[in-house]
Amino acid sequence: MSAQGEQSRPASVAVIFAGGVGSRMGKAAVPKQFLEIHGKPIIVHTLEHFQDHPEIDAIAIAILPEMRDQLERLVRWYDLSKVRWVVDGGATGQESRHNALKAVSADFEGDTIVLLHDGVRPLIDAELISANIAAAREHGAATTCTKFNETIASSPSEVIVDIIPRDTIYSAQAPQTFQLDEVLSAYDRAVSEGEHDSIDSLSLMFRYGHEVHRVEGPRSNIKITTAEDFYICRTFFELIENRQVTGL
Ligand SMILES: C[C@](O)(CO)[C@H](O)COP(=O)(O)O
């Protein structure tokens, strides 16, 4: 399929990585992306935000091979019709994202905008997706960032060696949004240089000299990494449902 098809704008594709086993979560019956919050698996909450966004044309998911059947059942059950590729995750996050990008590039053109997002960040919203697409269209490369509200200390060993001015420091989150040909070539290059376990797409794009623009996102766009994150996220869902908080 052509990136443009009948549209005048480049396509936008979400790449959702859900290939991890969730080892930092502690004991859970299923990988964390399949745990339920508010009656639905976390991965479904995440996917629905992209499914419902008018500017997203297709979705690719990298998944643990042993969870593929279950994911495909969920995709059918929740009618996630934009899901076009379900690819096997690799041994690392880098390999999982690379596999998904290769699948997208077989069907979409190089100027396609890809939004790389963690399956376990279910509190993403439409505004943040739109802001990422707009920033990537304007600048070529963008990443969601959020500010710190606490003192940031550098402490490579037991003692604190520096206090970093927090006004200049951001936590890089997701989506991380790039042009398909540029981000795929960063992943290809990393492999050719022997790198297989880079932390994320931003790190690779930065390393290879791309100017990445910041999209400021809400602190609520948390990644469910630990059991504590799961409970915090569940509380956010309850507050949103009960309309006790707005503007998250
Ligand atoms: C991509 C990411 O969410 C940016 O903050 C983060 O790097 C993912 O880390 P993980 O170790 O794969 O959970």
Side-chain angles (χ1 to χ4, degrees), residues 90-162:
T92 63
Q94 177 181 317
E95 285 180 12
S96 298
R97 291 186 284 273
H98 199 180
N99 290 349
L101 289 170
K102 284 189 270 192
V104 175
S105 76
D107 293 343
F108 276 72
E109 290 177 357
D111 64 351
T112 298
I113 298 294
V114 284
L115 298 89
L116 294 114
H117 190 70
D118 308 90
V120 288
R121 281 193 197 267
L123 286 166
I124 175 142
D125 59 26
E127 204 181 322
L128 193 50
I129 294 173
S130 300
N132 266 268
I133 294 172
R137 286 214 181 109
E138 188 177 348
H139 305 294
T143 284
T144 310
C145 293
T146 194
K147 276 185 173 279
F148 284 101
N149 289 339
E150 289 153 324
T151 303
I152 308 299
S154 168
S155 181
S157 60
E158 278 182 22
V159 293
I160 289 168
V161 296
D162 203 3

Side-chain angles (χ1 to χ4, degrees), residues 17 24 97 118 121 172-174 176 199-200 223 225:
F17 36 101
R24 292 165 290 181
R97 291 186 284 273
D118 308 90
R121 281 193 197 267
Q173 300 187 330
Q176 302 187 349
I199 187 163
D200 61 0
K223 175 164 71 73
T225 307

Side-chain angles (χ1 to χ4, degrees), residues 1-2 13-14 57-61 75 80-87 103-104 106-108:
M1 174 179 166
S2 139
V13 173
D57 299 293
I59 301 171
I61 312 168
V75 166
L80 299 167
S81 56
K82 289 184 184 173
V83 174
R84 187 176 166 131
W85 312 266
V86 177
V87 305
V104 175
D107 293 343
F108 276 72

